[in-house]
């Protein structure tokens, strides 16, 4: 008799679950239907047994009076799972007090992320990917969502998670993500934000922007006060704001009206104005928030671009005092208009997390992505030095090409030569900013590198290794992302 049949026979007593290759926390029931997940060789499968098991697509096994369906982890079975067990389906989480985005570009990080969020009341966005990340990882939004659903099912995470269509720029992208059940859209307005205005002379500004009477009345006749802080506009500044953000505001209104207004969807709406050439001043933030509100837009979160530099995968660079002063006002404006601040490029910003927790009074959305990939590569450095060295050298060779897509100040000469490092010193590279950024920005190149026979040069080996070392990766994420949360929480009283 097969192991699974043994397990099914013992189901009523629920003893010795893990002895049969069953993930112990995956056992769930829907009426007389029992569903759980097993690992077999290097693959996971769903097993469904009892009344309704035919809802899953897969191979039917029968022994005597017992039968079960062994179902592969595909989109169809993910949909069935989400229908039967609502905890595997994403929910809108931005409206909760605290939320935290953890990009899982590789589709393997959720196991580690879940460990973190078992300990914190912040809601995780487990599925979160931009269109660019999809292209570089050859994944679809279906893959991203399914990977999250299967992971929460396997690991018994039932507290709820979100799914973020991150940095979407086109109506069709928004529509696709919402149709697939994503519960949050991050609308990237950067195509409509003018970056040339800060360099324009007063004359040019006057020539390009003629203010209508109502907007003059709205902003120039009085000052504004937010939590005791004064915000005021002069005519030139107002014109500059109109020029920089006018089209972006129209775009946001359009998307909101088409996809969100009047309960069209049960998803959260975030506006990102962070991918711009200059930081968002508090006055600009106020202007955008006020205009959107007047036009009936209900934001859940907004991501301004803060002063200083939020480079990928390294700590905050800049004047922390100034950051804190501006953060106070940004947070107050967000509270005033009833949404949360969203902090993008939040990976590894350890020196400011406590301030973010403090000045948002614990109401924040923080987004990370690249750091989860870096931890995956750190796991490679820790467990397969030979493969890591090869990838590291390849990354060095692709760095100039990769740099075109990112703003980083990486100095390759500061990175130790991997051939002179002992095996057990390789992980220390991930403590060094230049090495972090090298591996961070070359992820697309690393994953897509091909051999002459068109097979993947690293990708297959990497996934095999991550599968083998899943416990190592999960624990690395648990402690690394956990450190983010710990510092954020240190800033406020629960
Ligand atoms: Zn962003």
């Amino acid at each position: 008799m097969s192991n699974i049949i043994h397990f099914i026979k013992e189901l009523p007593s629920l003893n010795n679950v893990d002895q049969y290759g069953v993930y112990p926390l995956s056992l769930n029931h829907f009426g007389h239907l029992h569903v759980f997940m097993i690992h077999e060789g290097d693959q996971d499968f769903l097993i469904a047994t009892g009344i309704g098991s035919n809802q899953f697509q897969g191979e039917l096994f029968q022994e005597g009076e017992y039968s079960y369906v062994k179902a592969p982890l595909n989109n169809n079975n993910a949909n069935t799972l989400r229908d039967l067990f609502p905890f595997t389906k994403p929910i809108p989480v931005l409206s909760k007090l605290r939320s935290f985005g953890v990009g899982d570009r590789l589709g393997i990080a959720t196991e580690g992320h879940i460990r973190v969020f078992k300990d914190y009341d912040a809601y995780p966005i487990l599925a979160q990917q931009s269109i660019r990340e999809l292209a570089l990882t050859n994944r679809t939004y279906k893959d991203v969502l399914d990977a999250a659903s299967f992971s929460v099912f396997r690991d018994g995470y039932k507290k709820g998670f979100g799914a973020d269509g991150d940095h979407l720029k086109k109506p069709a992208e928004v529509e696709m993500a919402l149709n697939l059940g994503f519960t949050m859209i991050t609308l990237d307005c950067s195509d409509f934000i003018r970056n040339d205005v800060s360099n324009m002379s007063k004359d040019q500004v006057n020539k390009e922007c003629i203010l209508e009477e109502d907007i003059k009345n709205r902003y120039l006749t009085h000052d504004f006060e937010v939590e005791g802080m004064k915000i005021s506009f002069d005519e030139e500044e107002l014109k500059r704001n109109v020029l920089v953000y006018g089209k972006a505001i129209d775009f946001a209104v359009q998307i909101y009206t088409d996809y969100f207004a009047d309960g069209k969807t049960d998803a959260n709406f975030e506006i990102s104005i962070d991918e711009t050439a200059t930081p968002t001043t508090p006055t600009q933030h106020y202007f955008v928030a006020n205009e959107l509100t007047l036009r009936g837009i209900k934001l859940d979160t907004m991501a301004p671009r803060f002063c200083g530099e939020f480079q990928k995968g390294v700590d905050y660079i800049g004047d922390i005092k100034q950051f804190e002063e501006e953060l106070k006002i940004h947070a107050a404006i967000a509270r005033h208009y009833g949404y949360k601040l969203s902090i993008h490029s939040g990976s590894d910003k350890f020196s400011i997390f406590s301030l973010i927790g403090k000045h948002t009074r614990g109401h924040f959305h923080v987004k990370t992505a690249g750091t989860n990939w870096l931890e995956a590569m750190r796991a490679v450095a820790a467990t397969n030095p030979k493969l890591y060295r090869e990838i590291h050298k390849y990354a060095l060779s692709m760095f100039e090409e990769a740099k075109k897509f990112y703003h980083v100040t990486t100095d390759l000469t500061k990175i130790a030569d991997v051939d002179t490092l002992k095996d057990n010193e390789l992980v220390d590279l991930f403590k060094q900013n230049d090495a972090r950024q090298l591996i961070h920005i070359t992820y697309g190149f690393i994953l897509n590198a091909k051999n002459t026979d068109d097979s993947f040069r690293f990708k297959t080996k990497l996934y095999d290794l991550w599968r083998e070392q899943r416990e190592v990766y999960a624990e690395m994420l648990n402690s690394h992302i956990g450190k983010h949360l710990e510092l954020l929480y240190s800033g406020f009283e629960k």
Side-chain angles (χ1 to χ4, degrees), residues 167 274-275 344:
H167 277 282
D274 64 313
E275 310 252 311
H344 283 202

Side-chain angles (χ1 to χ4, degrees), residues 305-407:
R305 179 174 159 193
F306 295 97
C307 60
E309 291 195 30
F310 283 67
Q311 289 190 25
K312 306 291 182 188
V314 300
D315 205 342
Y316 177 76
I317 301 170
D319 179 346
I320 291 188
K321 234 173 141 56
Q322 187 197 351
F323 172 78
E324 182 173 13
E325 284 313 308
E326 295 194 12
L327 173 67
K328 269 187 210 169
I329 314 180
H330 284 305
I333 295 170
R335 272 192 295 274
H336 181 77
Y337 286 101
Y339 54 83
K340 291 193 300 188
L341 270 190
S342 177
I343 290 90
H344 283 202
S345 302
S347 295
D348 309 287
K349 302 298 177 286
F350 298 115
S351 62
I352 54 170
F353 283 144
S354 161
L355 293 175
I356 291 169
K358 178 176 173 190
H359 295 296
T360 62
R361 299 177 190 165
H363 302 178
F364 51 76
H365 181 59
V366 171
K367 222 180 258 209
T368 68
T371 203
N372 302 288
W373 153 257
L374 283 175
E375 287 302 289
M377 288 307 295
R378 196 160 72 91
V380 176
T383 58
N384 190 332
K386 185 168 171 279
L387 178 61
Y388 180 77
R389 282 196 181 87
E390 203 186 329
I391 293 173
H392 184 98
K393 288 176 192 169
Y394 175 75
L396 283 170
S397 74
M398 298 316 291
F399 180 75
E400 281 309 313
E401 192 62 23
K403 217 174 80 172
K404 292 177 187 162
F405 303 100
Y406 293 91
H407 171 66

